[in-house]
């Protein structure tokens, strides 16, 4: 009886290491995306702070806009995570049409949200520069 329990424990360990390996493989693209995003931010900051003129203003502008990019990334992540969960449930229940519909709706929602945010930033760029005191330096 104890050999059966020991065999089940070993089988459970193999399954958990297999699951851990799958999770690591699935998380690598997300990790790479975040590392690349950080590197772009570092590069922007480096370049802005090494301009021949207006170093402080350029550094402040880059720092300000990085907060907005971070906030927009939260929206994109929320849409992606929510869509993935709902699509996975539909596929698991073998509702292929529903999964395709949800996928299309999430792409449309992301597109509309992107257009709306782009329009809001286009209209609100001047007030945003004034509110963050970047307009005074000629930014």
């Amino acid at each position: 009886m104890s050999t059966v329990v020991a065999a089940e424990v070993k089988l459970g360990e193999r399954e958990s290491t297999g699951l851990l390996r799958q999770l690591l493989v699935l998380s690598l693209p997300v990790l790479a995306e975040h590392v690349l995003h950080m590197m772009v931010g570092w590069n922007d900051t480096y370049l802005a702070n090494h301009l021949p003129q207006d170093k402080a203003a350029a550094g402040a502008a880059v720092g300000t806009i990085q907060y907005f990019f971070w906030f927009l990334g939260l929206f994109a992540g929320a849409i992606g995570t929510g869509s993935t969960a709902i699509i996975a449930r539909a596929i698991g229940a073998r509702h292929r049409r529903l999964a395709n519909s949800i996928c299309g709706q999430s792409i449309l929602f992301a597109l509309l949200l992107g257009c709306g945010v782009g329009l809001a930033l286009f209209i609100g760029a001047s007030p945003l520069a004034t509110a963050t005191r970047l307009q005074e330096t000629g930014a």
Side-chain angles (χ1 to χ4, degrees), residues 5-69:
V5 172
E8 287 178 6
V9 168
K10 286 186 179 184
L11 181 62
E13 288 176 5
R14 276 192 226 132
E15 288 176 359
S16 67
T17 54
L19 179 62
L20 179 62
R21 184 173 291 130
Q22 288 176 353
L23 286 174
L24 288 175
V25 168
L26 288 173
S27 67
L28 284 178
V30 176
L31 178 64
E33 177 190 3
H34 284 289
V35 168
L36 290 172
H37 186 70
M38 285 178 11
M39 290 173 69
V40 167
W42 290 339
N43 186 49
D44 289 347
T45 304
Y46 176 81
L47 291 175
N49 288 321
H50 285 82
L51 290 173
Q53 302 172 356
D54 297 324
K55 292 180 185 182
V62 167
T64 301
I65 202 65
Q66 283 180 352
Y67 282 112
F68 288 104
F69 284 149

